[in-house]
Amino acid sequence: MSPSTQLAAARPTSDRDVPPAGAQEPAGHPDGVRATARIRAVHNGRVTTLPQLRSDGPFHLRRMRTDGNAATVGIIGAMSAPLGGDRLTLDITAEDRAELEITTAAATLALRGPTTEAATYDVRLTAGEHARLRWLPQPLISAAGSNLRQTYTVELAATSRFVLREEQLLGRAGEEPGHLVSRILVHRAGRPLLDQRTAYGSPEPGWDGPAVLNRHRAVGQLLVVDPRLDIRRDAVLLGEGTKDGCAVLAPLANGPALLATAVAPTTSTLRELLDEAHAHALAR
């Protein structure tokens, strides 16, 4: 039931894998948007502040009201994106002891655009010592004809806490999905923690077959990294025996981390499965 693992008003291409550090990025399509938005959270001794909140291109960043000491930023889509040929980057840092949560106002819709070339959407997440960083966006929708390569690059300190939720809907109602390639690359304390690549839609072979999605069209993952986790237990299977999808919550080998992978017929059911997996993780 798990995805195959191999390792959102106007308007680039990359290799199938993330280019090595220092490599020159492709220029992208001339009609594509090139944008980098940045968020930096700092703890001032009392609360978390946001000295850098730089919107760009389709990313309009808005500081949200919170009751506690944490900071929350909402990302509002200022234009249709990502479209074919776009090169979009979010660079997010929670410095030492900062507490930051990122969400989006609506789902991100990947569309074909003026070219069939791939769009790239790179999310770079960094958490310092004793920082807490939560990436909780709304789903990504892979519309027919789209071509998107999404990458999460995560750098965590040894004492940081981190949550990443990824939800993908493969095609809108009554349509086939586009081509979607997603990679999650996580380092903790300078050591590799997770390197996972998933790919759906034509021309990927067997992506909706019984060994991968079994014709489900909503797929997601939840990664929880926390030094306080008890990861000595076995994997947990959620939703077993139903036709409404299922999820597996399993420990990772190189750190205090749990990874849930879920498939479901709808995004609402997918969210329920990931929420259940998160509750199991917190209980540990």
Side-chain angles (χ1 to χ4, degrees):
M1 53 72 56
S2 62
S4 59
T5 302
Q6 303 179 12
L7 291 169
R11 320 303 28 132
T13 13
S14 64
D15 295 334
R16 292 179 66 88
D17 289 327
V18 178
Q24 185 175 2
E25 294 183 347
H29 191 273
D31 294 330
V33 166
R34 197 177 181 94
T36 299
R38 302 183 188 278
I39 302 170
R40 184 167 66 94
V42 175
H43 191 264
N44 66 5
R46 295 179 294 106
V47 297
T48 298
T49 63
L50 297 169
Q52 186 175 39
L53 204 61
R54 179 181 180 272
S55 302
D56 192 18
F59 303 119
H60 177 68
L61 308 179
R62 178 171 295 180
R63 190 190 318 251
M64 311 295 286
R65 290 177 180 247
T66 57
D67 295 329
N69 296 330
T72 300
V73 176
I75 302 174
I76 301 173
M79 59 180 70
S80 296
L83 307 186
D86 288 354
R87 181 169 294 282
L88 308 176
T89 301
L90 279 170
D91 195 336
I92 300 166
T93 299
E95 296 192 358
D96 293 356
R97 300 189 180 277
E99 297 186 21
L100 177 63
E101 179 173 313
I102 310 295
T103 186
T104 58
T108 298
L109 179 61
L111 296 167
R112 174 173 176 171
T115 174
T116 58
E117 292 188 35
T120 63
Y121 184 15
D122 296 324
V123 182
R124 303 167 186 171
L125 301 158
T126 303
E129 296 291 349
H130 302 285
R132 184 173 66 124
L133 179 57
R134 291 158 55 89
W135 171 255
L136 303 172
Q138 297 299 317
L140 168 68
I141 303 172
S142 175
S146 65
N147 187 2
L148 177 63
R149 293 167 187 173
Q150 176 176 265
T151 303
Y152 292 102
T153 305
V154 183
E155 295 288 342
L156 304 175
T159 55
S160 58
R161 292 177 286 160
F162 178 69
V163 174
L164 178 149
R165 187 183 68 216
E166 179 189 46
E167 300 173 340
Q168 299 164 343
L169 180 61
L170 305 177
R172 294 170 293 188
E175 74 173 12
E176 291 296 309
H179 185 206
L180 175 61
V181 178
S182 180
R183 185 180 182 188
I184 302 176
L185 178 61
V186 183
H187 284 81
R188 177 179 178 268
R191 299 181 59 191
L193 177 64
L194 176 67
D195 188 357
Q196 177 166 286
R197 178 184 179 276
T198 56
Y200 310 107
S202 179
E204 301 296 335
W207 64 272
D208 62 346
V212 187
L213 297 185
N214 196 24
R215 301 194 177 276
H216 289 302
R217 289 305 174 91
V219 58
Q221 299 179 86
L222 176 78
L223 173 64
V224 179
V225 183
D226 193 324
R228 303 169 302 175
L229 280 176
D230 175 10
I231 59 171
R232 292 173 294 176
R233 305 180 192 177
D234 295 332
V236 177
L237 181 61
L238 308 172
E240 185 179 15
T242 73
K243 297 181 179 180
D244 295 330
C246 57
V248 173
L249 178 67
L252 297 183
N254 292 333
L258 295 166
L259 177 66
T261 301
V263 296
T266 65
T267 54
S268 60
T269 303
L270 178 71
R271 177 68 61 87
E272 291 174 1
L273 287 167
L274 293 179
D275 285 346
E276 185 178 355
H278 197 189
H280 273 271
L282 294 179
R284 297 190 177 195

